[in-house]
Amino acid sequence: MKVLVVEDNAVNMKLLKLVLKRYGHEALEALTGGEAVAKAESEKPDLILMDIQLPDMDGLEATRRIRKLPSMKTVPIIAITSYAMAGDREKIIEAGCNGYFEKPINPLTIMGEIDKIIKGSVKNESSGSGR
Ligand code: MN
């Protein structure tokens, strides 16, 4: 899969790219929301991992803009949240994300969490219900 990692924290970015590559995925990076929207449009990734706290706009706004791109209506977008945001599930889903995981990022379990969210969202789409 071609995965777009949107993350302004260098340590998290490095960790996510390392894990993705280890599982045979191609990892592209974006450090801001604006860059995320531009790369989503030009690269058409198969999956987007979206940090919520970014320097320009937040990850929810970046997700809303990405969802407006004709080629990005159904791409899985998974939010990366801080502990404080984790209660805001509705807000994250309403913005267009398929799910989220919480920081700190655990390299041993992260791919499992990603797979679970992707499979869950595919099932939801085919049954016609998002919740
Ligand atoms: Mn951040």
Side-chain angles (χ1 to χ4, degrees):
M1 276 196 298
K2 191 198 268 190
V3 184
L4 177 60
V5 183
V6 187
E7 171 63 83
D8 62 321
N9 177 288
V11 175
N12 283 338
M13 174 64 84
K14 205 169 166 184
L15 187 61
L16 287 166
K17 285 178 74 175
L18 207 78
V19 173
L20 287 165
K21 283 180 183 168
R22 168 143 201 163
Y23 280 84
H25 301 300
E26 181 190 348
L28 306 169
E29 57 179 67
L31 306 180
T32 65
E35 200 184 339
V37 178
K39 284 208 174 160
E41 184 161 35
S42 63
E43 299 286 344
K44 298 179 176 53
D46 304 301
L47 168 69
I48 300 174
L49 302 182
M50 179 68 76
D51 183 27
I52 296 297
Q53 284 169 310
L54 295 167
D56 51 349
M57 63 186 89
D58 70 21
L60 299 181
E61 180 57 27
T63 297
R64 284 184 207 107
R65 294 188 192 190
I66 289 170
R67 285 296 186 216
K68 287 187 184 146
L69 302 170
S71 59
M72 291 287 110
K73 299 270 184 226
T74 60
V75 62
I77 303 179
I78 302 178
I80 308 167
T81 71
S82 58
Y83 176 71
M85 268 292 294
D88 290 341
R89 181 164 209 281
E90 289 294 303
K91 229 160 105 182
I92 293 169
I93 301 299
E94 266 166 34
C97 295
N98 299 75
Y100 65 91
F101 53 78
E102 283 175 46
K103 290 180 188 179
I105 292 156
N106 181 341
L108 297 177
T109 58
I110 187 87
M111 283 312 299
E113 290 187 53
I114 290 171
D115 282 344
K116 225 190 290 175
I117 293 169
I118 293 175
K119 280 179 190 138
S121 67
V122 167
K123 201 168 22 178
N124 286 344
E125 269 165 31
S126 59
S127 68
S129 162
R131 319 245 153 111

